[in-house]
Amino acid sequence: MIVGVGGQGTLLTSRILGSALIGMGYDVKVSEVHGMSQRGGSVITYVRYGERVDSPLVDIAEADVILAFEELEAYRALPYLKKTGKMLVNTQQMMPMPVITGTAQYPEGIVAKLSAEADIIILDALALAKQAGNAKCANVVLIGLLARHMDIPEERWLDAVRANVPAKLLDVNLKAFGLGYRA
């Protein structure tokens, strides 16, 4: 699963992931769930792959990996993670509308709660994206981190980035991928 907030690049990330998997000969199914994604709402993408995949949906306790672009979205997705699964979490916090309007508070200690319940890797992808030259590349930093934990050659991932990122943004995205891959 890929989870985040509208505007964080979760959909591009799912396209890169799907391209890398197809390039390895897998059957790939992708399903996207948008929750007011253009207004900062939740975005969830399910990506399933294998020799044959009939459905793209992931049920509770079925996700092998959850790639979370934002802490609260990671916490919301936790029930979907298998007991033996891994969660990769960006430390970024994006305030939902109830927090912005003052009717709710952003939960404290999310990373500690996640660490107590799951095998997680924490990364400040935003800082690495800025280091690459563009804060909007945090999603590609995260796909680089994910790539390091999958049995797909790095060059296949780079091909997938090249195939899905506009030419004018390619260099900064390749740099962002490398920073995530080596983080």
Side-chain angles (χ1 to χ4, degrees):
M1 285 178 63
I2 301 169
V3 299
V5 172
Q8 287 190 293
T10 56
L11 303 182
L12 173 61
T13 302
S14 67
R15 286 195 303 272
I16 293 170
L17 175 57
S19 292
L21 293 167
I22 289 170
M24 293 296 292
Y26 290 109
D27 182 21
V28 179
K29 300 288 188 278
V30 178
S31 177
E32 301 162 355
V33 178
H34 307 263
M36 292 294 291
S37 60
Q38 291 181 344
R39 299 202 186 279
S42 296
V43 177
I44 302 167
T45 304
Y46 303 102
V47 180
R48 293 187 68 187
Y49 69 98
E51 188 175 306
R52 179 177 169 198
V53 177
D54 294 321
S55 170
L57 300 181
V58 176
D59 207 352
I60 300 293
E62 284 188 350
D64 293 302
V65 177
I66 296 176
L67 184 62
F69 285 38
E70 195 272 343
E71 288 184 17
L72 184 55
E73 295 304 322
Y75 194 66
R76 288 178 179 157
L78 184 60
Y80 288 88
L81 189 66
K82 280 183 179 177
K83 288 191 185 297
T84 58
K86 182 176 290 288
M87 185 177 274
L88 311 175
V89 181
N90 182 15
T91 57
Q92 188 169 0
Q93 296 180 348
M94 298 185 74
M95 300 303 132
M97 193 52 66
V99 172
I100 292 170
T101 61
T103 60
Q105 290 186 338
Y106 195 92
E108 293 183 20
I110 290 175
V111 170
K113 291 174 186 174
L114 291 170
S115 296
E117 296 186 41
D119 180 8
I120 69 169
I121 296 173
I122 305 296
L123 181 68
D124 186 347
L126 184 58
L128 290 176
K130 289 176 183 177
Q131 183 180 333
N134 187 336
K136 292 183 179 182
C137 294
N139 62 327
V140 180
V141 169
L142 289 167
I143 200 79
L145 177 65
L146 174 65
R148 196 176 80 226
H149 296 279
M150 294 183 71
D151 191 22
I152 297 174
E154 183 180 6
E155 191 55 40
R156 180 73 63 197
W157 288 101
L158 294 173
D159 289 344
V161 172
R162 289 181 192 107
N164 287 282
V165 172
K168 67 182 181 179
L169 300 172
L170 186 56
D171 288 341
V172 71
N173 277 277
L174 289 172
K175 186 174 181 182
F177 176 88
L179 289 170
Y181 193 83
R182 288 160 188 76

